[in-house]
Each structure stands twice: as C-alpha cells, then as structure tokens.
Amino acid sequence: MGHDGRVTENAAQSDVAEVLAAREREVREQAATLAEQLEGLVEAAAGANADDEHDPEGATLAYEREQVAALLRNTEEELAELAAARARLAEGTYGTCEVCGGPIAPARLEARPTARTCITC
C-alpha cells in the first residue's frame, strides 16, 4: 500500500466496478430474455383470433404482455441505475449520499450497489 492509501482505494474501486459489471451482465441477460418473451406474446396475440379478454382459462394475453413489459421496464431502469453508479465511481462520488453528502454505509452498498443515499436520507 502507498503512503496515502491509494492502493487500497483503487482495489476497492476495482471491486465495486466488478460488482457493478457483473450485475449489469445479469440484468442485460434478463432484459434480453424478457424482450424475447414480449415479442413472443405480441406475435401470439397477433396470430390469435380468440377473444382472450373473455377466456375462462385464466390470464389473458394482454395481461401477460403487460406483466412482461413492466418487468422489462424495471430491468431498463436498473441498467440506468447501474450506469449512474459507474459514473459516480468514475467521478469519485460513489458511496457519498446525494442528499446529505455523508458516507453511505458499506453494508448498504453491498446490499444495494446502486444506492444514492444513506439509510438516514
């Protein structure tokens, strides 16, 4: 370690970057799967001549389509949060509360690496 602690800080940033990158890969895979499911549901609805709004068999195609679309929106929002966390890391503000300017607890960042605020805020 250097006299000013930079090796430790650089190692910690590298660890955070790896965690964020791994989560981003997972979310991108989820998004791809959901996009495929949504495409399949749209195609199924287009090709079906059934009145799925009144189908006694259960959930409608429209309901399933909206459910998958909502999940896809959530993954897109998480990808945006991950990108913002990477930007904060690059700027040197990662782990600093955006409201009070204090540190965000390491346990909170471990549980939620995209956290922007401390527990108090």
Side-chain angles (χ1 to χ4, degrees):
M1 173 167 51
H3 296 291
D4 59 3
R6 286 190 190 170
V7 172
T8 302
E9 184 178 319
N10 289 341
Q13 284 184 336
S14 177
D15 290 347
V16 170
E18 287 178 30
V19 167
L20 294 172
R23 181 63 188 151
E24 185 173 0
R25 284 190 299 273
E26 291 173 11
V27 175
R28 285 192 185 285
E29 288 176 15
Q30 289 173 347
T33 299
L34 289 167
E36 287 176 17
Q37 287 178 356
L38 184 58
E39 184 179 325
L41 288 169
V42 168
E43 288 174 4
N49 59 3
D51 177 10
D52 91 330
E53 294 299 321
H54 299 93
D55 184 357
E57 296 297 316
T60 66
L61 287 174
Y63 172 80
E64 290 179 38
R65 186 178 59 241
E66 284 306 310
Q67 186 176 29
V68 172
L71 291 171
L72 184 56
R73 282 190 301 274
N74 288 345
T75 60
E76 291 167 350
E77 289 171 10
E78 187 172 358
L79 286 171
E81 286 293 319
L82 288 162
R86 282 195 326 274
R88 290 191 303 277
L89 186 63
E91 295 166 355
T93 60
Y94 182 83
T96 301
C97 178
E98 292 182 351
V99 175
C100 71
I104 300 174
R108 177 165 171 77
L109 290 171
E110 184 178 330
R112 189 168 176 240
T114 59
R116 294 173 178 257
T117 60
C118 66
I119 299 248
T120 304
C121 292

